[in-house]
Amino acid sequence: MRRYLQGFLITGLSVLVAAPAHGQTAYKPMGLEINGGWREYMGDLGSALFFAKKPIYNGVGVQFGYYLSPSFDAVVRGSGGDVGFYSTIHERNDPWKYAGFKANTFELVGGLRYKFNNGYILPEDAKLSAYAHAGWGGFYVHSRINNIPKNYTGFSGLWNVGLGINYQMTDAISLRVSSVFNYTHN
């Protein structure tokens, strides 16, 4: 269980700087967020989701938020990084026994963030608060597949959902931990 929880936190860790909860109000509606974290692959080849199996890759991004109401912010996020999956098939001989891929990805997503510190559930000035978000956008991937000389490059639609916790350090700086699930149409 400890490993599961540790994987959950590591997978979703995003450090966001500048302005969400207190700083993003009707009087100061805009916020810029810088984030970084770990990415895991979950797909038809298998899954390492939340279990800290190798490989785990890094990602970085920028998010712009705009206050709409005490409950909602509009957000636009761009982020990029790598994902991959590797497996050993013991029944095969070298070099064909190693299967997998590594992909460079970039996504641009617009959406909404629902803040639980909206005055109904938690006080608007709560230092520690939770949020949920959902978004839609586009996805770019450039993938290198093991043992195959061809690469794959493609574009597709993307939707994502996530949950997070926000800790307001000052009026202009906060720390966030979140987990975001991206679903692409590739």
Side-chain angles (χ1 to χ4, degrees), residues 168-185:
Q168 196 68 40
M169 297 167 63
T170 70
D171 283 346
I173 297 174
S174 67
L175 176 68
R176 291 186 185 218
V177 175
S178 67
S179 185
V180 178
F181 298 91
N182 290 320
Y183 179 79
T184 64
H185 303 285

Side-chain angles (χ1 to χ4, degrees), residues 84-101:
F85 184 82
Y86 292 98
S87 179
T88 302
I89 303 169
H90 298 287
E91 295 80 26
R92 293 183 182 171
N93 295 323
D94 284 337
W96 302 105
K97 71 188 290 181
Y98 304 105
F101 73 93

